């Protein structure tokens, strides 16, 4: 059995995997460990070196789709991803180049599940992150604190740089922070929630809108919770109005109906 | 009236419009000078306890209205507080909410003030200010006011990503009963104008890349379900006609929902959410599953107990069982419980692997619905039940209806279970 130490990045895994593959080391022989690396490794930009380029040995061709999936899966919080990625890589090269098409294969289905989870988490961060405006040296800066499930900050950062290009903003997460000064993106180490700003003057207006746009005649809490999981609520100012809205809903609707019954027809 | 009260009144008044999409219009921000962009796929920023998403700041410019449509909370005879935003107030709210990542953009509708043209001009003024004074690059959905002049519609489409003129009710006789001022030809005339402008702009852009875009996310409409006794098949035929005549991106079906100060001609009951859900399912069969309008309207109302695809399959047993390892895409799309994404996955998988029943489970297909209708690589005992008369009840036991999400929603209104 070989113990392989990598830092927690796609590139680090890629380098190790390339050597192991050339050496003919089978997945069963490997135990993967993540080096307690400098935190910086979580958010460094990764180079685009393909697995196919190897200094020695035959050229290994891997479907582009695998690399795309692997890059994303590398951002999953479950460290079993490294062994899974290698096992699938091994089988693609040795058994079936089209392995990824067989979604019902146990390993492929686990891989695609992880891929989906990272994608969902990234999308959710685009949706559920809330900026708060603060003033710093007479300049407006929009600051958000957010706790993603996976290491998705670098994946999501381009979305925010495109969307909020003309603003100065910063996103704080426990894993890593992103800072945009209007020209360039910079990443730094993660921070604690206590460093996040507390409240924004617009939040009450936002709560007003949230409350008013809710239709009390169509209560469906299950759908709401499945789309907006409760663990994210601490970050969403509007959610503290939910309890009241739900409690008052039946009475409000009964009120509409009752009022109309009293009208002469 | 202060801004908070206006927002409360005019968001409350806008919520009966079901449209929430913020997708379909890619706007990049490569210059970096704009505020906002649109990646082309929608983002839902929050969900309210009714299970619906908040994607856009959905408000009315005003809830004053000269019309008296019985189903509408904003009709002239409705006893509700009234308000009107200024252009600057809407622009300010949109920018403030957008910068904090609360919304993807603006959905702006309005009660009818003075005339369709006047109202359209007011909506355009907001969109124009956002785009040209504030370089707002994010999503804007404007209501197209039926009867507004072609020049105004043209300008609206220049600023907006999506336009929508609501048909409101499925037929003219429905409108005559509840919305006597609304005329189908006028509403469809506006849809026709929008389509014509969009086609024109697309043709122009083939010649000149920089020709202006026109409502790049297309147009949609909404119709209210359950306010009149009109059947599902009439509703679906209307939807089908609108889709094909005006290239609509979406028809929204909105279950009529009790409103404050209701008109006595309207049903006093919980919104027919299950019916709304079935209409959306039938709509999807038309748009994504190659079903024809004749096939989804074989019965005058959709089956409440079974989704429309299952109901069709129960009526057409001769078409089944389908061999998942050999059948065409068209045939697989007919299998109850099998979504179009899973159909494409199956086509990919079966080039290298013969699918078993367990494999279909791994794809998270709805096995209970699917099993009687398919043949797999292994033995599927449920396929033997295909000819049983009680097949429908075996798949969805009649007692379970109350456990459906929509059923549970209905009972949640009265507090009963």
């Amino acid at each position: 059995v070989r113990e392989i130490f990598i830092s927690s990045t796609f590139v680090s895994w890629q380098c190790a995997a390339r050597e192991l593959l050339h050496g003919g080391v089978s997945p069963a022989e490997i135990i993967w460990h993540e080096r307690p690396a400098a935190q910086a490794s979580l958010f460094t930009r990764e180079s685009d070196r393909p697995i196919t380029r190897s200094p020695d040995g035959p050229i290994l061709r891997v479907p582009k789709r695998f690399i795309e999936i692997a890059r994303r899966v590398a951002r999953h919080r479950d460290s079993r991803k490294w062994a899974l990625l290698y096992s699938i890589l091994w089988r693609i090269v040795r058994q079936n180049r089209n392995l990824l098409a067989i979604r019902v294969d146990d390993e492929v289905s686990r891989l695609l599940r992880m891929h989906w989870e990272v994608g969902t988490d990234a999308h959710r961060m685009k949706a559920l992150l809330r900026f708060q405006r603060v003033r710093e040296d007479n300049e407006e800066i929009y600051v958000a604190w957010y706790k993603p499930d996976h290491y998705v900050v670098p994946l999501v950062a381009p979305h925010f740089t495109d969307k909020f290009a003309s603003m100065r903003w910063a996103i704080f997460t426990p894993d890593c922070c992103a800072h945009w000064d209007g020209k360039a993106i910079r990443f730094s180490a993660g921070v604690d929630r206590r460093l996040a700003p507390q409240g924004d003057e617009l939040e009450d207006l936002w709560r007003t809108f949230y409350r008013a746009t809710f239709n009390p005649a169509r209560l469906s809490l299950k759908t709401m919770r499945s789309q907006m999981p409760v663990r994210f609520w601490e970050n969403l100012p509007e959610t503290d109005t939910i309890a009241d809205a739900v409690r008052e809903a039946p009475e409000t609707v009964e009120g509409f109906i009752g009022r109309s019954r009293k009208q002469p027809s | 009236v202060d801004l908070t009260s206006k927002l409360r009144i005019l968001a409350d008044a806008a919520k009966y419009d079901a449209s929430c999409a913020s997708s379909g219009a890619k706007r990049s921000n490569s210059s970096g000078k704009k505020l906002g962009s649109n990646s082309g796929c929608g983002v839902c920023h929050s969900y309210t306890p009714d299970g619906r998403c908040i994607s856009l700041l959905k408000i009315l410019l005003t809830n004053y209205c000269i019309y008296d449509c019985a189903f509408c909370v904003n009709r002239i005879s409705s006893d509700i507080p009234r308000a009107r935003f200024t252009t600057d107030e809407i622009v300010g709210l949109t920018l403030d909410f957008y910068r904090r990542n609360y919304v993807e953009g603006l959905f702006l509708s309005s009660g009818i003030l003075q005339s369709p043209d006047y109202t359209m001009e007011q909506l355009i003024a907001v969109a124009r200010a956002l785009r040209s004074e504030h370089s707002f690059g994010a999503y804007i959905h404007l209501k197209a006011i039926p009867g507004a002049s072609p020049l105004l519609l043209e300008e609206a489409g220049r600023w907006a990503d999506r336009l929508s003129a609501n048909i409101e009710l499925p037929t003219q006789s429905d409108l005559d009963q509840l919305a006597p001022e609304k005329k189908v030809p006028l509403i469809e005339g506006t849809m026709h104008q929008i389509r014509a402008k969009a086609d024109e702009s697309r043709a122009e852009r083939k010649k000149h890349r920089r020709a202006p875009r026109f409502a790049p996310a297309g147009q949609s409409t909404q119709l209210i379900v359950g306010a009149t006794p009109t059947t599902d098949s009439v509703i679906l035929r209307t939807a089908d006609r609108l889709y094909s005549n005006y290239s609509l991106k979406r028809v929204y079906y909105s279950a009529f929902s009790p409103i404050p100060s209701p008109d006595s001609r309207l049903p006093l009951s919980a919104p027919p959410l299950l019916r709304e859900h079935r209409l959306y399912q039938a709509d999807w069969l038309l748009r994504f599953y190659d079903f024809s309008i004749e096939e989804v309207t074989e019965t005058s109302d959709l089956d409440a107990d079974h989704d429309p695809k299952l109901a069709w399959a129960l009526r057409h047993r001769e078409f089944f069982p389908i061999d998942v390892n050999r059948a065409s895409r068209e045939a697989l799309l007919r299998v109850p419980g099998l979504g179009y994404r899973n159909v494409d996955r199956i086509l990919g998988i079966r080039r290298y692997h013969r699918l078993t029943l367990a494999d279909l489970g791994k794809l998270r297909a709805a096995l209970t619905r699917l099993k009687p209708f398919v043949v797999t690589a292994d033995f599927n005992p449920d396929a033997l039940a295909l000819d049983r008369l009680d097949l429908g009840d075996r798949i969805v036991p009649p007692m379970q209806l109350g456990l459906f999400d929509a059923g549970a929603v209905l009972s949640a209104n009265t507090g009963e279970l």
Side-chain angles (χ1 to χ4, degrees), chain B residues 86-119:
Chain B
T86 65
T87 304
D88 287 347
E89 283 169 337
I90 300 177
V91 167
L93 273 174
T94 306
L95 296 174
D96 278 342
F97 278 14
Y98 190 81
R99 287 193 185 106
R100 285 161 181 82
N101 206 40
Y102 296 164
V103 294
E104 279 303 279
L106 174 67
F107 171 105
L108 186 61
S109 179
S110 183
I112 307 300
L113 294 162
Q114 296 179 29
S115 69
D117 273 356
Y118 177 80
T119 312

Side-chain angles (χ1 to χ4, degrees), chain B residues 318-339:
Chain B
E318 73 281 2
F319 190 78
F320 299 95
I322 298 278
D323 183 344
V324 295
N325 287 299
R326 306 170 66 97
S328 66
R329 183 167 191 277
E330 292 68 34
L332 288 170
L333 284 172
R334 299 268 155 168
V335 177
L338 208 52

